[in-house]
Amino acid sequence: MTRRTSGPARAGQYLALLAYLVFLAFPFLWLISTSFKPARELGSLHPTWIPKDPTLANYRQAFDEQPLLEAAGNSLIAALSASLVAVVIATPMAYVMARHRTLLARAATGWVVVSQAFPFVLVIIPLFLVLKNLHLINSLPGLIMVYVVWALPFALWMLVGYVRAVPTELEEAAAVDGASKLRTLVSVTAPLLAPGIVATALFAFITAWNEFFFALVLLKTPEKQTLPVVLTHFLGAEGAADLGPLAAAAFLATLPSLVLFAIIQKRITGGMLAGAVKS
Amino acid sequence: MDHGAWFLVLPALLPILVLSVGPLLYGIALAFTDSQSGRTEPTEWIGLLNFQDLLHDTLFWDSFRIGLLWAVGVTVPQFLLALGLALLLNQNLRLRWLARSLAIIPWAMPEVVVGIMWRLVYNPDAGILNETLSDLGFGDGRDWLTGIGTALPAVIVVGVWAGMPQTTVALLAGLQNVPRELHEAAEMDGAGAWRRFRTVTWPALKPIALAITALNFIWNFNSFALVYVLTNGGPGGRTRLPMLFAYEEAFRYGQFGYAAAMGCVMVALISVLLAVYLVGRLRGGDQR
């Protein structure tokens, strides 16, 4: 449909694309640039795009000021456990939701949609009270439980899409060959689903790694807190932040999710769309 | 559904019921109590008292109004910009791959980092925005995030930036549903770009556009982390979204019952608004 686009129209398109590129990229480039600037340049009245005297001092200072490694460790534990558990329990349910059009499957689909609409405060207050009674406030297991349930809706959503993409004919053929239901699931369906399951797990990992609200409410002491919560400590009480270390820590915290996202980008968009478009 | 299927469903269903549906019902129930943190007397039912108090709580309604302004202010430009980007990315342009990769960045970033990043951009002294503006001849710098008039627009820009990727990706997928033959036929008939968009592209895109807009509106209305990091509700409550208000009420002042009532009102009003919007849009679409 683009073969006959005229010269001026094409030029306009490139101009628009350029504007988008600038809008999307400039805050991120600025973050990176700021993180390499020495204090002297950050104090200068005329900031420059490229640090004249690039330094790693901000990164060193960031690690000195806040327990970044411990926080990254906490984030890693929380995100890894939550994504694994969520996928392990969501996959069978997604299979049933995709293959059986029962009342339960429909109710579950409805819940997946509705659960997106509730302000977290309505869920977190009771969870806070319950977890407090169980002595699970300020503990990673408590946070992981919350993350698992929070990850379930979109995990189900994505996985249902992936299951639907596996043709039922394959399962039927296996049944005709005399394979049991379980056998069919394990040796026919599961291998075809594996890439989708991995993508879903990685997506759940990224969202848990990035999550802030639940972690802010549930984790009280610095040595228990996850990376996003610890990052806010750099902002200081009155917003008087030390810009260099702040930028350095923020950039570091983003790297894992950026890398993972780059790896699974196509699958995620494909999977979410399969779920969204075909349902 | 046979017994085997129940076996497959239970591992996910139980946590959902215990940790999601249960707390939700508990949360709604709390709205009718005087539950507070650290209270020694037992919690009591107080009926609609929280809701009566809310009715007269001008700070809450201020935050609700700001929440609506923010949600509309973010959702509409987000949709228009994402639509533009999706249409461009659907074309055979050279830098398409770069735009695609860049458009993903805000999606993969923690909201806290997005907030921090834009604070660096907006920083009155060391930020790039004021410097660029003065280079372009727009004189004196401002303190965008702490200015009474500029704070809300400034955080809205960040909200738009942060939420564009999901919307773009969804719309891009919708564009792939647009029947190519129809497009070509329209082109042969001499239909211009706008006409082709209106008669061929938009009808195919509309269901997904409607769904993503409704979801974006809800998500934006309920958002927290971005504004918490950018302004923490300031200056003088000018960017205090309902979620920030409810969070403070619950976890700074310990008013669990009252904050839960806020949550209920937020859900109820947003559902009504959304229902009106969706019904209106669907009706409007049928008439054409």
Side-chain angles (χ1 to χ4, degrees):
Chain A
M1 72 173 115
T2 53
R3 263 161 282 137
R4 273 157 298 185
T5 311
S6 65
R10 182 73 351 160
Q13 286 176 347
Y14 273 110
L15 215 61
L17 191 66
L18 195 69
Y20 275 111
L21 289 178
V22 170
F23 180 55
L24 289 168
F26 93 95
F28 190 55
L29 295 177
W30 187 247
L31 174 74
I32 298 173
S33 161
T34 306
S35 76
F36 289 112
K37 281 182 182 172
R40 187 169 12 91
E41 274 183 60
L42 285 167
S44 127
L45 273 178
H46 290 286
T48 45
W49 268 108
I50 299 167
K52 282 191 216 101
D53 208 359
T55 170
L56 286 173
N58 293 325
Y59 288 85
R60 222 170 298 129
Q61 202 184 329
F63 281 99
D64 286 345
E65 277 177 20
Q66 296 291 340
L68 285 184
L69 278 179
E70 290 85 342
N74 292 339
S75 280
L76 188 70
I77 293 169
L80 208 58
S81 336
S83 58
L84 284 180
V85 174
V87 165
V88 166
I89 63 181
T91 305
M93 178 151 175
Y95 181 81
V96 174
M97 282 168 69
R99 288 283 189 258
H100 303 267
R101 298 214 165 253
T102 58
L103 186 67
L104 180 73
R106 258 175 288 155
T109 314
W111 172 80
V112 165
V113 176
V114 168
S115 67
Q116 299 298 309
F118 283 96
F120 289 145
V121 74
L122 209 49
V123 181
I124 193 67
I125 296 173
L127 275 176
F128 182 86
L129 291 171
V130 170
L131 291 175
K132 201 172 157 194
N133 285 331
L134 297 172
H135 300 288
L136 284 174
I137 296 290
N138 203 25
S139 88
L140 282 179
L143 186 71
I144 291 167
M145 276 160 62
V146 175
Y147 279 180
V148 167
V149 178
W150 174 61
L152 279 174
F154 69 75
L156 285 171
W157 189 253
M158 286 175 73
L159 287 167
V160 166
Y162 289 123
V163 173
R164 292 225 176 103
V166 176
T168 43
E169 289 80 16
L170 287 179
E171 289 172 14
E172 282 154 13
V176 171
D177 288 349
S180 71
K181 186 95 187 155
L182 189 67
R183 219 204 128 108
T184 313
L185 273 182
V186 171
S187 57
V188 178
T189 320
L192 289 168
L193 271 182
I197 293 176
V198 172
T200 308
L202 288 177
F203 191 57
F205 179 91
I206 294 169
T207 36
W209 177 272
N210 293 350
E211 203 281 331
F212 178 64
F213 182 66
F214 294 134
L216 176 71
V217 172
L218 295 177
L219 304 173
K220 297 295 167 199
T221 53
E223 70 272 11
K224 296 279 174 145
Q225 285 169 338
T226 55
L227 209 42
V229 183
V230 168
L231 281 183
T232 61
H233 298 332
F234 279 101
L235 291 171
E238 288 297 308
D242 209 346
L243 299 181
L246 173 69
F251 179 56
L252 284 181
T254 297
L255 280 181
S257 36
L258 272 184
V259 171
L260 287 183
F261 212 97
I263 295 170
I264 53 166
Q265 191 229 84
K266 280 228 172 74
R267 290 220 141 260
I268 283 190
T269 49
M272 293 187 84
L273 301 172
V277 178
K278 282 168 195 155
S279 61
Chain B
M1 208 160 57
D2 52 46
H3 295 292
W6 277 107
F7 192 65
L8 293 174
V9 167
L10 276 182
L13 195 63
L14 274 181
I16 287 173
L17 290 176
V18 174
L19 285 164
S20 180
V21 179
L24 194 65
L25 297 175
Y26 185 7
I28 294 170
L30 275 174
F32 300 92
T33 71
D34 60 355
S35 169
Q36 286 174 12
S37 77
R39 233 170 79 112
T40 40
E41 312 102 87
T43 299
E44 280 178 36
W45 289 94
I46 53 167
L48 290 172
L49 212 61
N50 282 330
F51 293 92
Q52 271 172 20
D53 287 348
L54 261 184
L55 212 57
H56 303 292
D57 189 339
T58 48
L59 284 179
F60 173 71
W61 293 107
D62 279 346
S63 83
F64 199 87
R65 194 177 43 82
I66 291 165
L68 283 184
L69 268 174
W70 150 269
V72 174
V74 172
T75 307
V76 173
Q78 201 168 61
F79 176 77
L80 294 176
L81 282 175
L83 180 63
L85 184 57
L87 287 170
L88 279 174
L89 292 181
N90 204 32
Q91 302 276 324
N92 239 333
L93 297 178
R94 242 163 244 261
L95 285 172
R96 192 163 69 154
W97 65 271
L98 183 60
R100 263 180 208 253
S101 331
L102 279 179
I104 293 303
I105 289 182
W107 195 352
M109 279 185 129
E111 276 184 293
V112 167
V113 174
V114 174
I116 289 173
M117 188 173 71
W118 278 87
R119 272 178 75 141
L120 297 173
V121 169
Y122 280 134
N123 190 285
D125 302 319
I128 194 64
L129 185 67
N130 279 341
E131 182 65 12
T132 310
L133 285 178
S134 78
D135 283 352
L136 293 173
F138 296 103
D140 57 328
R142 280 164 177 281
D143 200 345
W144 299 93
L145 291 171
T146 52
I148 299 268
T150 53
L152 189 60
V155 293
I156 284 177
V157 169
V158 183
V160 171
W161 186 88
M164 251 177 64
Q166 289 100 313
T167 317
T168 307
V169 167
L171 292 174
L172 201 53
L175 285 177
Q176 273 143 30
N177 286 353
V178 177
R180 229 189 160 73
E181 311 77 50
L182 265 179
H183 224 284
E184 278 160 10
E187 206 175 346
M188 298 252 239
D189 290 345
W194 170 244
R195 237 189 105 92
R196 267 176 303 169
F197 174 77
R198 236 196 43 196
T199 54
V200 180
T201 311
W202 183 244
L205 202 57
K206 201 173 155 186
I208 208 163
L210 205 63
I212 192 80
T213 306
L215 271 178
N216 275 344
F217 180 80
I218 297 175
W219 283 332
N220 288 326
F221 185 80
N222 290 337
S223 62
F224 175 83
L226 211 54
V227 177
Y228 177 89
V229 173
L230 279 168
T231 62
N232 197 10
R238 289 293 193 296
T239 59
R240 195 196 279 134
L241 302 182
M243 269 291 282
L244 272 94
F245 193 57
Y247 164 78
E248 279 186 0
E249 209 53 53
F251 296 103
R252 183 158 305 160
Y253 307 117
Q255 301 291 342
F256 289 143
Y258 194 55
M262 276 181 202
C264 290
V265 172
M266 282 164 68
V267 178
L269 291 180
I270 284 303
S271 318
V272 171
L273 281 175
L274 209 68
V276 170
Y277 164 79
L278 285 177
V279 169
R281 288 298 293 266
L282 288 173
R283 283 245 178 92
D286 289 342
Q287 282 161 6
R288 232 180 279 161

